[in-house]
Amino acid sequence: MAKAMEEDATFAAGVLKRCFGRGGDFTVVVDEREGREGDSCGSEVKRVEFKVWSTLLTQWSAVFDKMIHSDGFLEGQTAQVVIADFSSEAVEIFLRFLYSGVVEGPLETIVEVCSLADKYQVERLQELCTQAFRKGPKP
């Protein structure tokens, strides 16, 4: 019976993974500055938007739960959060994890994902990122 439950969980994770990017009731916006580092003049903002399910965000993260369900937060009123301190690649890996429970990406981006997981208090993702660091390339 335990094997059937494990297979069911894997199947469900696969279904959710395929749902990523196919709509949602909440928008995660990533505003990235493009241009030379330290050069605020002339740098352009790259804007990437991800439509996600707010329920999924709130189940993984107490921070998102507070943002979305508290009257005092703009994010709950606008159904949108703007992230300007992380790359769109890291945010996408972060969000894909919320849908699938799997973290995949280059080690240098996983470092950023770990910081993102810390900011939004997604403990399981932090654990997986830490495991990836330990297994990563050795000097």
Side-chain angles (χ1 to χ4, degrees):
M1 180 90 133
K3 185 161 175 69
M5 290 176 60
E6 187 176 307
E7 288 173 2
D8 289 344
T10 301
F11 176 78
V15 169
L16 282 170
K17 186 176 182 177
R18 289 188 300 275
C19 291
F20 181 76
R22 296 184 180 231
D25 64 344
F26 195 84
T27 305
V28 176
V29 177
V30 182
D31 283 344
E32 287 182 280
R33 291 240 175 252
E34 292 184 333
R36 293 184 303 217
E37 196 167 318
D39 180 16
S40 60
C41 298
S43 62
E44 295 181 20
V45 175
K46 173 183 161 189
R47 187 175 182 92
V48 180
E49 295 185 4
F50 300 96
K51 292 294 285 181
V52 296
W53 298 331
S54 61
T55 303
L56 194 62
L57 293 175
T58 62
Q59 291 302 303
W60 279 104
S61 166
V63 175
F64 279 119
D65 186 49
K66 191 78 156 170
M67 279 183 196
I68 292 169
H69 292 121
S70 297
D71 293 333
F73 287 89
L74 182 63
E75 292 85 357
Q77 296 168 14
T78 62
Q80 174 177 294
V81 65
V82 177
I83 298 174
D85 48 349
F86 294 97
S87 70
S88 59
E89 292 83 7
V91 172
E92 182 172 348
I93 291 170
F94 173 85
L95 294 172
R96 284 185 182 277
F97 168 81
L98 301 183
Y99 276 79
S100 68
V102 175
V103 60
E104 296 175 321
L107 197 54
E108 60 271 9
T109 307
I110 299 299
V111 171
E112 190 179 1
V113 171
C114 191
S115 295
L116 189 58
D118 179 54
K119 179 177 181 176
Y120 292 104
Q121 298 177 2
V122 181
E123 293 176 15
R124 181 63 184 142
L125 180 54
Q126 283 183 279
E127 292 167 5
L128 291 173
C129 290
T130 302
Q131 288 174 12
F133 303 151
R134 291 188 184 129
K135 293 178 184 176
K138 304 284 187 235

